[in-house]
């Protein structure tokens, strides 16, 4: 039976897009409902406002959902705002959309109102779209990179403490045992990197994109290394330098506020890049690895720790939600692309390791921290920002679990002109 144009309710329109039926209960502000009864539904999704409808219609997919959710126009009962992981698992496994015919699409649009095709202003937590970021400079220019880092990292050091824990480490941990805590796993990660880089007393380490100085502090404290860290976040640099002084490590460790490309020193025994290349841009990998190679002494090692794509079939740019709300201009590549770029620019790759499952565990721990410290977190950031963090961390956990993205260590060495690598016959760092 054909329904006359203009007769669909919001719930009917949404249901028409579902291939296998509504996997949750849906309730709209026009009074329409669809899906299981409340006592049988795993979740109840409520669309509360016309603005929320306009968000969904003008940006179908994750961006529209995020806008409506962050703004409070769409709510989900039975879901922790700090940790919506179970909702995402359910949606991934149960939600199947179908593409409407042109006639059906016209009917849906007319029923819901053509006026809702005018995009409302996005929530204040949203960053500019890519085409408007030219005011900040060309993609991955120094100015634009600095603004992207500022958007994500210069939120509140206290907020990060509540989410990340005492280590203030915003990268994948390495869990040495099933029962290890997040703090134990972060220490194990830094120690593993130190061993892969063969750090010893008196060595010099450059840590680019150093965050709150976790690797710098570990290298100086545990191995007597003279360590220099560089970050584009002023808040990170100030926090890290204060921590260095508090621990009495000022003679060994330093964290600078600035661009890694401004580091003029050379002759480092090791370089670590832990979670920075995601911000560099794939087309800039050659320049990136060339610069870092030139900072090393002959025989020096470099370790790149980064999120990777599952394969090359996916574009490097992040999805709309991640790009607008989390990591503007972020790009990911398959591990093979990173290996090739390192090899092609003077760093012989000697070891590659995947620690994908460890990042899923790390994100789970961060979500649990946010959930446990929710009220305190809301004293540091807006409710919208806290919602963004819950969505992004829970969604990322699921993506790592499903193998949609990975985490790889790639270890390279700068050989001499005759190919000598000053490298042991077998790895010496264990697990």
């Amino acid at each position: 039976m054909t329904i006359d144009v203009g007769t669909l309710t919001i719930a009917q329109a949404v249901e028409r897009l579902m291939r296998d039926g509504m996997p949750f209960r849906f309730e709209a502000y026009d009074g329409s409902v669809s899906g299981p009864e409340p006592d049988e539904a795993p979740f109840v999704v409520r669309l509360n406002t016309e603005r929320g409808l306009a968000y969904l219609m003008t940006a179908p997919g994750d961006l529209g959902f995020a806008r409506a959710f962050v703004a409070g126009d769409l709510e989900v009962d039975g879901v922790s705002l700090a940790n919506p992981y179970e909702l995402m698992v359910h949606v991934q496994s149960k939600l199947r959309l179908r593409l409407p015919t042109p006639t059906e699409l016209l009917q849906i649009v007319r029923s819901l109102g053509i006026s809702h095709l005018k995009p409302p202003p996005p929530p204040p937590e949203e960053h500019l779209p890519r085409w408007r970021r030219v005011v900040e400079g060309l993609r991955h220019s120094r100015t634009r990179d600095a603004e992207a880092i500022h958007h994500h990292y210069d939120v509140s050091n206290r907020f990060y403490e509540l989410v990340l824990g005492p280590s203030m480490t915003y990268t994948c941990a390495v869990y040495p045992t099933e029962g290890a805590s997040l703090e134990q796993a972060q220490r194990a990660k830094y120690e593993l990197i130190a061993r892969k880089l063969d750090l010893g007393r008196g060595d010099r380490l450059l840590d680019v994109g150093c965050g709150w100085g976790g690797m710098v502090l570990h290298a100086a404290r545990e191995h007597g290394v003279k360590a220099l860290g560089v970050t584009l976040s002023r808040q990170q640099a100030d926090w890290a330098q204060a921590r260095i002084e508090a621990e009495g490590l000022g003679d060994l460790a330093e964290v600078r506020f600035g661009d890694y490309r401004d580091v003029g020193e050379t002759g480092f025994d090791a370089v670590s890049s832990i979670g920075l290349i995601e911000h560099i841009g794939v087309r800039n990998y050659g320049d990136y690895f060339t610069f870092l190679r030139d900072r090393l002494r002959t025989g020096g090692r470099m370790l790149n720790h980064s999120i990777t794509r599952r394969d090359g079939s996916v574009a490097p740019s992040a999805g709309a939600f991640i790009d607008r709300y989390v990591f503007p201009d972020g790009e990911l590549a398959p591990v093979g692309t990173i290996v090739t770029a390192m090899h092609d620019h003077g760093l012989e790759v000697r070891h590659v390791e995947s620690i994908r499952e460890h990042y899923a565990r790390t994100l789970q721990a961060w979500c649990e921290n946010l959930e446990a410290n929710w009220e305190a977190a809301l004293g540091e950031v807006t409710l919208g920002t806290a919602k963004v963090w819950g969505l992004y961390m829970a969604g990322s956990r699921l993506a790592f679990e499903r193998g949609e993205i990975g985490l790889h260590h790639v270890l390279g060495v700068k050989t001499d002109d005759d190919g000598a690598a000053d490298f042991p016959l077998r790895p010496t760092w264990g697990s």
Side-chain angles (χ1 to χ4, degrees):
M1 180 180 71
T2 302
I3 299 177
D4 292 336
V5 172
T7 62
L8 294 179
T9 65
I10 296 174
Q12 287 173 330
V14 172
E15 192 167 20
R16 283 200 166 198
L17 301 176
M18 302 292 169
R19 192 173 69 195
D20 301 324
M22 192 76 72
F24 43 73
R25 183 173 176 82
F26 178 80
E27 301 178 355
Y29 64 85
D30 66 349
S32 62
V33 299
S34 181
E37 292 300 313
D39 59 345
E40 299 176 354
F43 303 102
V44 178
V45 178
R46 291 194 175 90
L47 182 62
N48 296 325
T49 66
E50 288 193 69
R51 182 178 66 177
L53 178 61
Y55 280 142
L56 296 176
M57 290 180 65
T58 55
D62 64 344
L63 182 58
F65 172 85
R67 286 172 171 169
F69 184 75
V70 169
D73 298 318
L74 186 146
E75 298 176 328
V76 185
D77 287 356
V79 171
S80 165
L81 296 178
N83 190 8
Y85 172 77
E86 296 300 332
L87 172 66
M88 294 187 169
V89 170
H90 184 78
V91 168
Q92 283 271 9
S93 61
K94 301 294 184 182
L95 184 64
R96 297 290 181 269
L97 298 176
R98 57 178 289 270
L99 187 66
T101 67
T103 300
E104 287 177 313
L105 182 61
L106 178 61
Q107 183 183 35
I108 289 171
V109 170
R110 286 180 173 174
S111 297
L112 299 182
I114 294 176
S115 62
H116 293 124
L117 292 179
K118 179 181 179 181
E125 292 80 8
E126 183 171 318
H127 195 51
L128 295 172
R130 290 191 186 102
W131 66 271
R132 288 188 58 193
R133 292 177 204 161
V134 292
V135 299
E136 300 162 356
L138 296 175
R139 189 177 179 87
H140 297 299
S141 65
R142 291 179 181 234
T143 302
R144 186 155 155 179
D145 280 352
E147 179 56 33
I149 295 300
H150 169 73
H151 174 81
H152 188 70
Y153 293 98
D154 289 342
V155 178
S156 157
N157 281 336
R158 178 57 184 156
F159 175 76
Y160 278 102
E161 289 173 351
L162 295 168
V163 175
L164 304 180
S167 74
M168 284 294 276
T169 298
Y170 190 27
T171 48
C172 175
V174 173
Y175 284 78
T177 63
E178 288 288 337
S181 69
L182 174 63
E183 290 302 302
Q184 291 170 330
Q186 291 294 11
R187 286 195 296 272
K189 181 266 297 295
Y190 287 132
E191 183 58 21
L192 177 61
I193 292 173
R195 295 203 308 270
K196 286 182 175 181
L197 292 173
D198 195 31
L199 294 179
R201 186 168 299 278
D203 284 347
R204 295 173 62 225
L205 168 70
L206 171 62
D207 185 40
V208 291
C210 68
W212 289 271
M215 185 67 208
V216 168
L217 286 158
H218 183 90
R221 184 197 310 118
E222 305 299 330
H223 296 274
V225 169
K226 190 170 182 60
L228 169 64
V230 183
T231 174
L232 274 174
S233 166
R234 168 70 74 181
Q235 290 192 26
Q236 287 181 336
D238 291 346
W239 190 97
Q241 199 58 43
R243 181 74 169 268
I244 288 169
E245 299 304 324
E247 293 197 24
L249 296 170
D251 60 329
L252 289 175
E254 176 191 357
V255 168
R256 292 179 189 167
F257 167 59
D259 195 294
Y260 76 91
R261 289 164 286 196
D262 291 330
V263 174
E265 296 94 326
T266 60
F268 288 95
D269 298 282
V271 171
S272 52
S273 173
I274 308 174
L276 175 59
I277 202 172
E278 296 92 332
H279 302 285
I280 295 298
V282 176
R283 65 182 176 84
N284 298 317
Y285 282 6
D287 291 341
Y288 179 66
F289 287 119
T290 296
F291 181 87
L292 297 181
R293 178 206 67 205
D294 290 346
R295 309 274 79 69
L296 283 169
R297 66 167 175 82
T298 300
R301 300 183 189 181
M302 183 206 164
L303 185 133
N304 187 80
H305 163 127
S306 64
I307 302 172
T308 52
R309 289 278 184 217
R310 176 167 54 193
D311 56 51
S313 66
V314 181
S317 297
F321 166 65
I322 294 294
D323 184 68
R324 298 286 188 91
Y325 284 90
V326 185
F327 294 117
D329 291 338
E331 292 184 2
L332 303 179
V335 65
T337 301
I338 295 171
V339 169
T340 298
M342 289 179 70
H343 256 301
D344 288 352
H345 294 88
L347 291 163
E348 183 181 54
V349 172
R350 305 303 298 256
H351 190 267
V352 178
E353 181 179 4
S354 171
I355 55 174
R356 170 172 64 84
E357 293 85 356
H358 293 260
Y359 216 159
R361 286 177 176 241
T362 304
L363 286 154
Q364 178 182 355
W366 289 344
C367 279
E368 290 169 353
N369 283 346
L370 179 58
E371 196 165 22
N373 297 304
W374 183 253
E375 293 303 322
L378 293 181
E380 299 294 326
V381 298
T382 65
L383 175 60
T385 295
K387 287 180 179 180
V388 166
W389 273 77
L391 280 177
Y392 131 68
M393 292 193 300
S396 296
R397 173 190 170 186
L398 184 58
F400 280 107
E401 288 176 345
R402 292 166 59 93
E404 295 168 2
I405 49 179
L407 194 291
H408 284 85
H409 279 186
V410 182
L411 178 65
V413 63
K414 180 179 178 179
T415 65
D416 68 15
D417 293 339
D418 296 320
D422 190 20
F423 208 87
L425 293 175
R426 298 298 302 154
T428 57
W429 50 82
S431 59

